[in-house]
Amino acid sequence: MKASGNNKDMKKHAISLYVANKPGVLIRISLIFARRGFNIDSLVVSEAHDPRFSHMNLVASGDAETLVQIIKQLNKLVDVVHATDHTGDNIIDRELALIKLQCAAEQRTEIMQISHVFDAVVINLTDNTMIIQSTGSTEKLDGFHKMLGKYKIIEMVRTGKVLMSRGEELTG
Amino acid sequence: MKASGNNKDMKKHAISLYVANKPGVLIRISLIFARRGFNIDSLVVSEAHDPRFSHMNLVASGDAETLVQIIKQLNKLVDVVHATDHTGDNIIDRELALIKLQCAAEQRTEIMQISHVFDAVVINLTDNTMIIQSTGSTEKLDGFHKMLGKYKIIEMVRTGKVLMSRGEELTG
């Protein structure tokens, strides 16, 4: 985290959890965040390589001090193997977005040029719509979304961040 | 859904929800699934194009009859704009996976060949590890994961499915 000279900085935090793949775990984890007034901006839950476990990656906004308490509480849960705040870590973060645009045939070239720059690909096309798939860091996807702002965006779905530490280290 | 001649078929269902972006919504939704014994296999929550709302995409396993009840209950929640079971719909589903492999230099060529076939890209490399990013349908990612099974997979994170209806229709 960047030093802001302010204890109550409401930064976005990227948190990863490795948890038992059991019913109820998600509810217990959500409650810990809700009780301390942390809003979960995005959340990804998926099966781990070992199917008895799940990976959770979440982005939450709130102050750093409260987050330290939340991480401690999470690590105390029986079903949580580990919970880590990765803000500022040497980590790879990736996200996927699908964006559906309304576009006339004559706008296609320009949209495809922008998409090319952002490594995005067109995965569906009709006479007046286009679905574009984009992958990358959250910042890159935000930039792409912003660039498409002048077209009519019909809908957008994003997966939220997944995290992985670089090199040989295990994440978390 | 394929007809199986069996009321209690435990199929995987892809469900999309469009909900108010408020604290507590996730807990209320999770409880509806938990109470009826539906296990959530993967879950994606992210901000919608309109930031007052969130998209949720989840994959859950259980019998079709119970799911009809769950969808009805979800649609009754004040904060749920709509909840839809997309199993069998004409829909695009995409997922992103990061896979970290242990691999010696002499294995790289083979791994990169396999990755190329599955449109996957190497995004990090050390002397004895590799991180590969793969995007596509769940089936494609499952296939890729299986192909890499003969190497030592250190870790894998996946985003879970996001859904979008083809063409001009709005999802849900």
Side-chain angles (χ1 to χ4, degrees), chain A residues 27-37 70 73-74 77:
Chain A
I27 295 167
R28 286 193 284 280
I29 290 169
S30 314
L31 277 171
I32 289 181
F33 282 91
R35 276 197 211 111
R36 293 184 178 258
I70 288 176
Q73 264 192 289
L74 291 172
L77 290 179

Side-chain angles (χ1 to χ4, degrees), chain A residues 118-138:
Chain A
F118 284 89
D119 291 320
V121 285
V122 177
I123 57 170
N124 186 261
L125 194 68
T126 69
D127 283 343
N128 46 12
T129 64
M130 232 179 190
I131 300 178
I132 306 169
Q133 170 188 312
S134 168
T135 49
S137 67
T138 302

